[in-house]
């Protein structure tokens, strides 16, 4: 399904989604980030990429798994499985869209051995869906916005198999044509959202289609950060596991975690029991984002830490993106958004890291 939406009709379309929570980029505190669209307010889609990614809509930074307390000395658990309203997010850049299928893989398929002796009904590879993630994911519609040109000197989506107008992971892709948008429904959810606002749309004519093709073609002509052959990068990472390069490249790292917290595909988490009342035993089991750059990320109960130094932690982050995820799922985990480069306070550059490893 393809339609034309005049700029002034965007608000009319949004108003038809009145039973949904609608989010769009908003500029505040010197950055663009996703914010709730309140009734009667306009949406500004002139944004660069947002500081935060859309992963927080399905994998929030903090969420409660269940609450617990004691009743007459007996533990009582109260589940807190989310039941969100349908959510529509406008202005999602293609690099963030490509992150969603990678997160779907992480939270939707767990490979683990199952003993046929004790559980003959189980397959050796058994699917497992994280119910907290999917309760949100199934009600999320992503309205993407193609990049007519790079929004950062650190963009490299094309170097990792993406595109400034990639539809991967998106339900709708919009392309800015100046006074109007070309709007394409990619999934059934996307088409449904467009059908609700059908009166706001116009038909696509041949001239519109030609202009869309020109805009998409032109978007590929802008220079991006190159990283070379992806297969060769995986081989170089495998061979450099014990290289002293990692310690050298990580010596400025302060372990702040910005690189992974802003990443659209990093999905590591920690689970803790937080006691609210020691008297009643009331508390919550909470999942929070964790970070492979934190010193205690792999700390064992014995006190041993297999990644006790900065170099091994940088190696883990890069290898997970460009080697381990490739080996497990046949694709790079990195989508080339460049946030980790732009926002790193000490200038650690994952593209430069890959280049050094490739040259070693």
């Amino acid at each position: 399904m393809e339609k034309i939406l005049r700029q002034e009709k965007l608000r009319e379309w949004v108003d038809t989604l009145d039973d949904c929570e609608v989010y769009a980029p908003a500029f505040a505190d010197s950055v663009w980030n996703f914010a709730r669209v309140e009734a009667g307010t306009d949406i500004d889609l002139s944004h660069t990429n947002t500081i935060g990614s859309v992963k927080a809509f399905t994998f929030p930074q903090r969420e409660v798994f269940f609450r617990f307390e004691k009743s007459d000395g007996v533990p009582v658990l109260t589940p807190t499985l989310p039941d969100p309203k349908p959510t529509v997010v406008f202005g999602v850049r293609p690099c963030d869209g490509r992150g969603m299928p990678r997160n779907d893989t992480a939270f939707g398929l767990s490979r683990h051995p199952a003993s046929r002796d004790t559980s003959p009904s189980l397959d050796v590879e058994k699917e497992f869906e994280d119910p907290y993630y999917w309760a949100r994911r199934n009600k999320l519609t992503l309205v993407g916005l193609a990049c007519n040109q790079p929004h950062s000197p650190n963009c490299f989506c094309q170097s990792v198999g993406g595109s400034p107008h990639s539809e991967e992971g998106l339900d709708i892709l919009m392309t800015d044509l100046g006074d109007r948008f070309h709007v394409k429904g990619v999934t059934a959810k996307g088409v449904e959202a467009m059908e609700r606002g059908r009166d706001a749309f116009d038909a696509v004519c041949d001239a519109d289609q030609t202009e869309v093709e020109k805009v998409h073609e032109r978007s590929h002509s802008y220079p991006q950060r190159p990283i070379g052959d992806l297969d060769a990068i995986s081989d170089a990472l495998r061979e450099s596991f014990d290289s002293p390069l990692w310690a050298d490249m990580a010596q400025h790292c302060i372990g702040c975690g910005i690189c992974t917290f802003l990443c659209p595909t990093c999905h590591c988490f920690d689970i803790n029991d937080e006691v609210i009342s020691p008297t009643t035993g009331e508390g919550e089991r909470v999942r929070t984002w964790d970070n492979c750059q934190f010193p205690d990320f792999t700390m064992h109960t014995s006190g041993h830490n297999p990644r006790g130094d900065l170099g091994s932690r940088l190696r883990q982050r890069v290898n997970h993106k460009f080697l381990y995820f490739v080996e497990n799922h046949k694709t790079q985990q990195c989508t080339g958004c460049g946030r980790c480069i732009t926002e790193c306070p000490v200038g650690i550059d994952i593209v430069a890291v890959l280049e050094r490893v490739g040259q070693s």
Side-chain angles (χ1 to χ4, degrees), residues 31 51 258 262 338-346:
V31 296
I51 187 81
I258 284 177
L262 299 183
R339 288 184 180 96
C340 63
I341 305 171
T342 302
E343 303 302 331
C344 178
V346 294

Side-chain angles (χ1 to χ4, degrees), residues 241 268 291-300 304-317 319-320 324:
F241 188 87
C268 289
N291 193 308
C292 61
Q293 303 307 285
F294 290 164
D296 62 350
F297 181 74
T298 50
M299 179 66 73
H300 294 186
H304 172 63
N305 191 342
R307 299 193 199 113
D309 59 274
L310 294 170
S312 63
R313 295 196 285 273
L314 175 63
R315 180 188 64 202
Q316 167 62 24
R317 182 169 75 89
N319 279 4
H320 189 218
Y324 307 148

Side-chain angles (χ1 to χ4, degrees), residues 133-296:
Y133 176 90
W134 286 99
R136 297 181 176 92
R137 180 72 171 102
N138 289 333
K139 293 188 176 182
L140 180 66
T141 300
L142 298 181
V143 182
L145 181 64
C147 297
N148 290 4
Q149 63 184 49
H151 295 286
S152 165
N154 295 316
C155 291
F156 59 100
C157 68
Q158 295 184 80
S159 296
V160 288
S163 162
H165 51 88
S166 171
E167 300 172 3
E168 186 180 359
L170 299 173
D171 298 294
I172 294 171
L173 179 66
M174 300 173 64
T175 301
D176 190 346
L177 301 180
D179 61 340
R180 65 203 189 283
F181 295 103
H182 175 269
V183 185
K184 179 179 180 180
V186 179
T187 68
K189 282 197 296 186
V191 171
E192 180 184 359
M194 291 177 65
E195 286 284 0
R196 294 177 61 170
R198 66 175 68 87
D199 292 340
F201 293 102
D202 297 321
V204 177
C205 66
D206 291 343
D208 295 322
Q209 196 64 53
T210 298
E211 187 169 356
V212 171
E213 293 171 359
K214 287 182 178 178
V215 168
H216 287 178
E217 182 179 1
R218 188 164 56 246
S219 69
H220 286 279
S221 66
Y222 291 93
Q224 289 193 359
R225 300 284 302 277
I227 63 173
D229 181 77
L230 294 173
D231 291 336
I233 287 173
S234 294
D235 292 340
L237 289 171
R238 191 177 294 108
E239 295 168 1
S240 67
F241 188 87
D242 295 317
S243 172
L245 270 178
W246 294 111
D248 181 54
M249 292 186 292
Q251 60 183 321
H252 300 299
C253 179
I254 59 176
C256 66
I258 284 177
C259 53
T260 60
F261 276 21
L262 299 183
C263 174
T265 62
C266 280
H267 55 262
C268 289
F269 58 83
D270 196 7
I271 298 176
N272 290 285
D273 288 346
E274 299 181 357
V275 176
I276 298 173
S277 171
T279 304
T280 63
E282 182 182 1
E284 298 174 333
R285 178 159 293 180
V286 179
R287 170 161 70 182
T288 55
W289 290 357
D290 207 348
N291 193 308
C292 61
Q293 303 307 285
F294 290 164
D296 62 350

Side-chain angles (χ1 to χ4, degrees), residues 86-102:
T87 301
V88 182
V89 185
F90 282 81
V92 179
R93 294 296 180 180
C95 53
D96 272 4
R98 294 187 73 231
M100 294 308 295
R102 287 151 177 79

